[in-house]
Amino acid sequence: MNKSKATYSAFDTAAYYITYKDRTEKEVYDKLREKGYSSQDIEESIQKLKMYGYLSDENYTLSYIKSNINKKGVRRISMELAQKGIHRDIISGQLDEITVDEVGTIEEILYKRYRNIDFSDETQKRRAYGYFMRRGFKQDSISKAITNYKKNNEL
């Protein structure tokens, strides 16, 4: 009887935890572990949440990618999802479903953020390059976007 109360309590805690923000399975597991629930109670709660459709790493990954693809590169998004406990196969599978135009994204950011900057100055170009590298964009995509930006602004 005590065991079932603990399982229900773990489920209720997990359900409350995911009501105000989507979470990964690992985040729910860690939170319940922090609250002192046993591994078995946590696993049962997670399985029940998955069965009801309230917890899905695939859906979380797809949502995360869609909300961040216009601000960050694929490498950074992949790294952040891996840190959240999402398996690499799920990440790559969801990334395959979305068409990613990194050059276009970088160009949009260039027009918004670097509108008045002269990219013939190597210091400015290096700063912009570093900015995009830190956000996980690929080197060749950055180079293409900066080249396109320079061509379009010289006209």
Side-chain angles (χ1 to χ4, degrees), residues 76-141:
R76 176 138 180 214
I77 291 171
S78 297
M79 181 189 68
E80 289 174 352
L81 286 168
Q83 287 174 343
K84 291 178 177 285
I86 305 291
H87 195 271
R88 295 269 180 211
D89 294 338
I90 295 173
I91 296 169
S92 62
Q94 296 299 340
L95 281 171
D96 290 342
E97 289 185 22
I98 296 175
T99 55
V100 179
D101 178 23
E102 279 195 339
V103 175
T105 301
I106 295 169
E107 286 177 356
E108 286 179 30
I109 296 171
L110 281 170
Y111 285 110
K112 289 178 187 174
R113 184 177 173 95
Y114 295 101
R115 187 175 337 170
N116 299 324
I117 291 180
D118 179 23
F119 281 106
S120 59
D121 178 19
E122 281 303 312
T123 305
Q124 297 295 331
K125 186 175 179 180
R126 227 178 19 254
R127 283 184 183 164
Y129 202 88
Y131 174 83
F132 290 112
M133 287 297 292
R134 286 187 300 276
R135 275 147 190 80
F137 292 101
K138 296 175 188 160
Q139 288 180 339
D140 60 331
S141 298

Side-chain angles (χ1 to χ4, degrees), residues 10-150:
F11 177 78
D12 289 343
T13 302
Y16 178 76
Y17 184 59
I18 64 173
T19 55
Y20 58 93
K21 182 181 171 189
D22 281 344
R23 307 286 181 169
T24 65
E25 289 178 35
K26 181 186 181 299
E27 289 174 325
V28 172
Y29 185 91
D30 291 345
K31 185 66 167 183
L32 292 176
R33 190 52 134 173
E34 178 185 305
K35 295 281 186 183
Y37 293 105
S38 71
S39 294
Q40 184 178 359
D41 291 337
I42 294 171
E43 290 297 329
E44 288 177 22
S45 299
I46 287 175
Q47 290 307 316
K48 198 182 287 188
L49 288 169
K50 287 170 65 174
M51 183 181 69
Y52 291 141
Y54 297 138
L55 188 63
S56 170
D57 279 354
E58 290 83 6
N59 292 341
Y60 180 89
T61 303
L62 187 61
S63 174
Y64 190 88
I65 291 169
K66 285 181 179 180
S67 66
N68 287 288
I69 200 69
N70 292 327
K71 300 175 265 186
K72 300 175 184 175
V74 171
R75 287 187 298 175
R76 176 138 180 214
I77 291 171
S78 297
M79 181 189 68
E80 289 174 352
L81 286 168
Q83 287 174 343
K84 291 178 177 285
I86 305 291
H87 195 271
R88 295 269 180 211
D89 294 338
I90 295 173
I91 296 169
S92 62
Q94 296 299 340
L95 281 171
D96 290 342
E97 289 185 22
I98 296 175
T99 55
V100 179
D101 178 23
E102 279 195 339
V103 175
T105 301
I106 295 169
E107 286 177 356
E108 286 179 30
I109 296 171
L110 281 170
Y111 285 110
K112 289 178 187 174
R113 184 177 173 95
Y114 295 101
R115 187 175 337 170
N116 299 324
I117 291 180
D118 179 23
F119 281 106
S120 59
D121 178 19
E122 281 303 312
T123 305
Q124 297 295 331
K125 186 175 179 180
R126 227 178 19 254
R127 283 184 183 164
Y129 202 88
Y131 174 83
F132 290 112
M133 287 297 292
R134 286 187 300 276
R135 275 147 190 80
F137 292 101
K138 296 175 188 160
Q139 288 180 339
D140 60 331
S141 298
I142 298 169
S143 297
K144 286 178 189 176
I146 288 177
T147 302
N148 292 344
Y149 181 82
K150 283 171 50 176

